[in-house]
Amino acid sequence: MAFFLLCISSLLLIFLTTYIFQPLIDARRRLPPGPRRLPVIGNLHNIGRKNNPPHRAFAALADRYGLLVSIRLGGVRAVVASSRATAMEVLHRRNGDLAGRGGMDAWHACGHHAHSIIALPPRRKSRAMRKLCAEEVFAPRRLAAAELRAAREDEARELARAVSDEVAAGIGGSPPAGTVAVACAVFPRVASVLWRSVFSEELDAATARELGEVVREAVVVAGTPNLSDFFPAIAAADVLGVRRRMEKLVGWTYGVIDRQIELRRRRRAAGEPRKNDLLDAALDMEGEAQGEEGWVMNQDAMRGMFMDLLVAGSGSTTSTVEWAMAELLQNPGCMEKVQEELKRVLGARTHVAESDISHLPYLQAVVKETLRLHPTVPIGLNKAEATVEIQGYRIPKGTTVYVNIWDICRRANAWEDDPEKFMPERFAGRDVGFLGTNFELIPFGAGRRICLGLPLAERMLHLMLASLLHGFEWTLPDGQVGVDMAEQFGLVLSMATPLRAVVKAKQI
Ligand code: HEM
């Protein structure tokens, strides 16, 4: 008994001494400052509170401890970068050593992490996959191809048609006809653009609907703080069941991808003309060992690559359009301005073309301002592959490096004029874009791992938003005051209460 008490009191003494002297110990090791850590859980209590999602909790820590903060989440050492300057260090100056990925256990579902561009470390396989997708889908030459541009404009027209159908149904009933659930209307069109860009096939309505449900659930499940991420030693136990839930969702998505691959194999075997798309390019490489790493393009690699594009691209783009509509509904002056610009530029034309976008500066400012206030990927997840120095602090190898994109895009030092306010006018005459060179506006990240789909996302965002706005009048449902702007945290930051708005035809 005495021995037992001695052990307990020694342990308590060690914990207490470490707790009290932690700032001194950290300073000696030149780690960035941060909150005191509790035994075992570290700072999990600082970020795990209800109604205080991680991007907001990190922002509060930055306000208190500085724009580069040290924390420990369970067994994982991490730092959080929360300013333009620290983001520039992580995503530009030191990016060569900080472009690793802090693993999330959910990505291990069905072995996805081994074939996912998003999850793979920045070595030959992920670089080769990025290059392949860039060449076959996102390169300017591919995006400009008449067939793919027509596909995007087609889907935008389809969106306007779906909204018109609601208008034709008139107002009344329960839920009232004429009310549009914005994300439900936008998702199938965005998913269809991606599907056509990758597989050169139409996406049928039933698959689009199911994919919508799968993506909505997957981004929440995969993004929810998970014990396995913070205590890798017990990850195999999958205590919260996150990996099991993800396995069902990934399994379903692999199923629809497999059907596309199979269909193409049969067509190729039957001698049908090539489509010369990403799927054809991947099948051409099939079975061959690639480069010195010797990875092989096979069914698993194709599943991983296609799933990343479909899931990463559809949820984030749809949510951005939904946030933009929510902000415009709350800011009628901006809504009026953007609709007037559309009317002026399009004249009597009912549909928007991609070539119109460059003539619509206010629409572009609305998209930028939406991405600034609601970056749908709120936190960038990097990992130190070597020990580096940032602003005189030491970031040891293996540290998870979070870039709080959400916080950076709202920091007052970068946006003097009321940074919390939706104000597209702030971009007038200001040469700030989201292409990863202005570190105060990095909704797509920056550096080696900048969003692969950026060039396509940019086109879809403007086209879909313009199609919703041109020729329609949008209001909130009767009796509703303001929009519920609460966030649903996940891999994608979406609206917790899906936006519903009433639509009528507008004279153009
Ligand atoms: C509004 C739309 C979108 C936003 C806000 C967005 C944002 C982001 C961000 C912040 C990252 C992480 C960058 C980093 O780690 O530094 C990312 C990565 C990625 N995005 Fe997007 N994205 C969007 C649309 C798309 C689309 C349409 C696609 C594909 C069709 C796509 C595919 C990817 C992929 C594959 C990665 C992983 C890149 C890598 O790890 O190397 N995204 N995106």
Side-chain angles (χ1 to χ4, degrees):
M1 184 66 182
F3 177 71
F4 179 68
L5 281 176
L6 184 70
C7 287
I8 293 283
S9 39
S10 313
L11 269 179
L12 271 176
L13 192 68
I14 293 171
F15 282 147
L16 212 66
T17 320
T18 321
Y19 186 75
I20 291 169
F21 291 109
Q22 180 212 304
L24 278 178
I25 300 168
D26 283 2
R28 276 191 67 114
R29 290 158 71 198
R30 289 198 293 124
L31 297 179
R36 285 177 195 276
R37 301 182 280 273
L38 293 177
V40 185
I41 64 168
N43 300 109
L44 278 178
H45 61 295
N46 293 113
I47 65 148
R49 295 207 187 101
K50 226 178 156 212
N51 301 328
N52 194 25
H55 57 291
R56 289 182 184 271
F58 284 168
L61 290 178
D63 286 340
R64 182 134 185 228
Y65 297 97
L67 298 171
L68 194 66
V69 175
S70 253
I71 49 174
R72 180 175 278 279
L73 302 175
V76 175
R77 188 192 306 119
V79 298
V80 185
S82 303
S83 69
R84 177 171 47 186
T86 49
M88 196 166 179
E89 292 286 336
V90 176
L91 301 174
H92 178 58
R93 291 211 187 98
R94 309 276 164 228
N95 199 227
D97 290 323
L98 296 178
R101 277 281 187 243
M104 290 181 74
D105 191 67
W107 288 342
H108 287 66
C110 306
H112 183 70
H113 66 293
H115 310 286
S116 153
I117 301 172
I118 300 174
L120 278 165
R123 293 195 244 297
R124 279 177 210 271
K125 182 168 179 179
S126 77
R127 278 206 293 269
M129 282 177 154
R130 268 190 80 108
K131 186 160 173 263
L132 183 66
C133 294
E135 277 169 5
E136 301 300 331
V137 183
F138 305 116
R141 165 187 64 85
R142 298 296 297 192
L143 288 168
E147 207 176 306
L148 287 179
R149 199 184 58 235
R152 294 190 295 273
E153 291 178 349
D154 244 24
E155 295 299 337
R157 242 194 307 274
E158 202 49 51
L159 175 61
R161 196 168 308 137
V163 174
S164 292
D165 288 349
E166 276 301 328
V167 175
I171 314 278
S174 175
T179 305
V180 174
V182 174
C184 286
V186 173
F187 182 89
R189 307 291 45 104
V190 168
S192 200
V193 168
L194 297 174
W195 199 265
R196 291 169 79 167
S197 306
V198 171
F199 299 131
S200 314
E201 298 284 343
E202 303 273 335
L203 175 63
D204 66 86
T207 309
R209 210 169 19 255
E210 263 190 278
L211 183 63
E213 283 160 24
V214 166
V215 170
R216 234 185 327 275
E217 192 176 342
V219 295
V220 175
V221 175
T224 306
N226 176 9
L227 272 188
S228 303
D229 296 336
F230 306 128
F231 299 99
I234 59 157
D238 190 24
V239 178
L240 299 182
V242 170
R243 199 188 287 198
R244 282 192 295 281
R245 284 170 71 193
M246 275 304 280
E247 258 157 17
K248 268 173 57 189
L249 303 168
V250 176
W252 181 88
T253 315
Y254 280 180
V256 291
I257 289 171
D258 282 352
R259 283 200 285 283
Q260 287 303 313
I261 298 175
E262 192 41 44
L263 182 67
R264 183 68 59 89
R265 280 192 214 284
R266 271 192 268 122
R267 287 185 176 159
R268 283 164 64 113
E272 287 187 24
R274 288 171 61 88
K275 305 267 188 185
N276 287 325
D277 54 9
L278 180 61
L279 179 50
D280 265 342
L283 285 169
D284 290 345
M285 291 165 69
E286 197 174 16
E288 289 166 21
Q290 308 289 325
E292 288 159 26
E293 263 180 26
W295 69 277
V296 178
M297 175 60 84
N298 56 18
Q299 186 85 5
D300 288 334
M302 285 185 241
R303 287 166 152 186
M305 187 168 70
F306 296 143
M307 172 159 163
D308 276 5
L309 299 185
L310 296 173
V311 174
S314 54
S316 48
T317 308
T318 302
S319 279
T320 306
V321 176
E322 191 182 31
W323 282 117
M325 287 299 288
E327 287 290 2
L328 290 170
L329 278 158
Q330 298 210 109
N331 293 278
C334 301
M335 174 76 94
E336 201 175 307
K337 249 172 137 172
V338 72
Q339 289 190 314
E340 266 170 17
E341 183 184 72
L342 281 162
K343 191 171 166 180
R344 198 172 57 249
V345 172
L346 270 70
R349 266 190 298 137
T350 48
H351 297 298
V352 189
E354 273 187 6
S355 53
D356 294 320
I357 296 170
S358 59
H359 305 292
L360 297 163
Y362 195 74
L363 176 77
Q364 291 177 35
V366 166
V367 169
K368 277 187 198 169
E369 183 67 342
T370 304
L371 285 163
R372 185 185 73 80
L373 280 177
H374 309 284
T376 43
V377 180
I379 298 175
L381 186 58
N382 298 56
K383 190 169 184 175
E385 300 228 304
T387 298
V388 294
E389 281 222 355
I390 294 184
Q391 296 186 339
Y393 294 114
R394 222 176 119 258
I395 313 294
K397 180 177 175 182
T399 304
T400 296
V401 182
Y402 295 111
V403 177
N404 194 350
I405 296 174
W406 180 88
D407 193 15
I408 291 166
C409 290
R410 287 178 181 230
R411 281 267 152 204
N413 58 359
W415 308 100
E416 311 80 31
D417 312 331
D418 209 347
E420 299 286 326
K421 194 169 162 14
F422 182 78
M423 214 163 71
E425 291 72 16
R426 73 176 77 244
F427 289 102
R430 192 169 176 166
D431 188 20
V432 174
F434 44 59
L435 302 181
T437 47
N438 299 108
F439 286 84
E440 64 272 43
L441 188 67
I442 46 168
F444 294 96
R448 290 165 194 232
R449 305 208 73 152
I450 191 170
C451 173
L452 180 58
L454 196 167
L456 178 57
E458 190 182 5
R459 283 169 169 77
M460 287 196 287
L461 288 173
H462 292 98
L463 207 50
M464 296 293 168
L465 187 58
S467 302
L468 285 177
L469 293 171
H470 185 53
F472 299 112
E473 187 184 310
W474 293 88
T475 49
L476 291 174
D478 262 357
Q480 185 177 321
V481 184
V483 178
D484 179 359
M485 300 295 272
E487 298 158 335
Q488 167 72 62
F489 183 81
L491 282 186
V492 169
L493 195 64
S494 42
M495 295 187 72
T497 308
L499 179 68
R500 299 178 76 86
V502 177
V503 65
K504 287 189 204 152
K506 193 178 167 112
Q507 198 75 40
I508 51 173

